[in-house]
Amino acid sequence: MATNSSVKNQIANKNQGNNAVNPNNLGLKQLLSTPTMRKKFDEVLDKKAPQFMSSLLNLYSNDSYLQKAEPMSVVTSALVAATLDLPIDKNLGYAWIVPYGGKAQFQLGYKGYIQLALRTGQYRNINVIEVYEGELQSFNRLTEEMELDFEQKQSDKVIGYTGYFELINGFRKTVYWSKEAIEKHKKKFSKSDFGWKKDWNAMAKKTVIRNMLNKWGILSIDMQKGIVEDNKDPIEKANEFDEQDIIDADFSEISDDAQ
């Protein structure tokens, strides 16, 4: 798993004369054009590296908030997503690169959690959905038995969210969170409102499925690593960039529309 500190150590240049530069002085496109960074993405993604790097440039150029973040933090956040083989297109909902206090941070989307779970080969079904006004007939907090009647939907008002999974071995789990419970959880644990302001619904689904999988699911190594990165304090991530490292700056062109 790529982390900010490990990536910086891996790209540290060993006294290569005038080619040695501080990565914090480079823009994102210049940073991605260095042989060191191109090699790192190649090692992680192989033939998919050019397309992924192009998608990162596209994401960056179309997000004015992300452009205010330190380019090196954008790259290392992208490397986390690359290591997990998750797309970073924010419209897809698998993984996000979001700005926080001048730094970028990696965040798993709820679809990313589902994707990583499915890759384990242990899940027959897994999903999380909205529960609309009128649909919830009953829910037993102790047994977690739930009765939903989708025909009884009264409006488009979301009153809560339910998550469900079934393992190949037959084990099943259903959880239900009211909208109020999610809001309470958000106020207690969320370190940034950025994702919630962008897509409250997606973040609510993520809260439900992450909690469900953490408590009851089978977690692969990739899932464990993804959760660790997703749960990192943004300030902790920012502090990993305090040291000034250097990289090989023999630039090569990165196409914005690489296929």
Side-chain angles (χ1 to χ4, degrees):
M1 170 61 61
T3 64
N4 292 348
S5 56
S6 67
V7 170
K8 291 186 73 181
N9 288 334
Q10 291 170 16
I11 68 173
N13 181 274
K14 296 182 180 180
N15 299 321
Q16 295 184 12
N18 294 330
N19 289 335
V21 298
N22 186 328
N24 293 325
N25 294 331
L26 301 177
L28 181 66
K29 190 168 185 177
Q30 286 181 308
L31 193 56
L32 291 176
S33 297
T34 62
T36 307
M37 293 311 304
R38 292 176 67 94
K39 180 180 179 181
K40 184 59 184 175
F41 277 98
D42 285 340
E43 290 173 349
V44 174
L45 295 169
D46 196 21
K47 294 180 180 179
K48 293 188 290 185
Q51 183 177 356
F52 186 91
M53 295 170 76
S54 175
S55 68
L56 175 57
L57 287 171
N58 189 50
L59 173 70
Y60 186 78
S61 63
N62 289 299
D63 191 327
S64 58
Y65 291 102
L66 196 57
Q67 290 169 17
K68 298 176 182 178
E70 184 182 272
M72 187 62 190
S73 68
V74 176
V75 171
T76 53
S77 296
L79 274 169
V80 175
T83 304
L84 295 173
D85 196 17
L86 293 174
I88 53 175
D89 185 334
K90 57 187 176 183
N91 295 316
L92 297 178
Y94 289 94
W96 302 315
I97 300 176
V98 299
Y100 184 90
K103 307 287 183 179
Q105 63 180 104
F106 167 83
Q107 284 190 359
L108 263 177
Y110 79 92
K111 291 182 180 178
Y113 276 98
I114 292 176
Q115 182 63 223
L116 293 178
L118 291 175
R119 289 180 192 169
T120 67
Q122 299 297 317
Y123 293 81
R124 179 174 284 115
N125 294 299
I126 182 170
N127 200 8
V128 57
I129 62 171
E130 303 91 341
V131 177
Y132 295 98
E133 184 178 27
E135 291 182 338
L136 181 63
Q137 303 302 301
S138 66
F139 179 71
N140 186 315
R141 288 195 303 115
L142 178 61
T143 64
E144 295 186 329
E145 293 178 337
M146 171 182 283
E147 182 182 357
L148 290 174
D149 188 344
F150 299 120
E151 298 297 325
Q152 298 300 314
K153 179 181 176 182
Q154 298 175 359
S155 70
D156 290 332
K157 179 182 178 182
V158 175
I159 63 169
Y161 297 81
T162 182
Y164 168 83
F165 72 76
E166 179 183 1
L167 298 179
I168 297 298
N169 65 14
F171 176 76
R172 301 178 181 181
K173 178 56 62 176
T174 300
V175 299
Y176 174 75
W177 287 53
S178 68
K179 195 169 183 179
E180 292 74 20
I182 290 175
E183 183 63 32
K184 183 178 180 180
H185 185 274
K186 166 186 170 293
K187 290 180 179 179
K188 184 176 182 179
F189 295 105
S190 178
K191 302 176 182 68
S192 168
D193 278 341
F194 185 85
W196 293 92
K197 289 180 180 179
K198 287 287 185 179
D199 194 336
W200 201 98
N201 188 59
M203 292 296 290
K205 287 183 175 181
K206 171 183 170 179
T207 298
V208 172
I209 203 161
R210 177 175 63 187
N211 183 273
M212 177 178 68
L213 291 175
N214 274 341
K215 285 186 175 181
W216 306 104
I218 295 178
L219 302 181
S220 67
I221 298 299
D222 276 352
M223 288 183 71
Q224 294 176 42
K225 291 177 179 178
I227 290 171
V228 167
E229 289 295 325
D230 190 42
N231 289 338
K232 273 191 176 180
D233 191 316
I235 301 301
E236 175 189 348
K237 291 188 177 188
N239 287 340
E240 290 178 349
F241 284 91
D242 287 343
E243 297 179 1
Q244 302 297 310
D245 288 325
I246 55 178
I247 67 172
D248 184 347
D250 281 335
F251 303 109
S252 55
E253 186 66 19
I254 294 287
S255 173
D256 289 342
D257 55 358
Q259 298 299 318

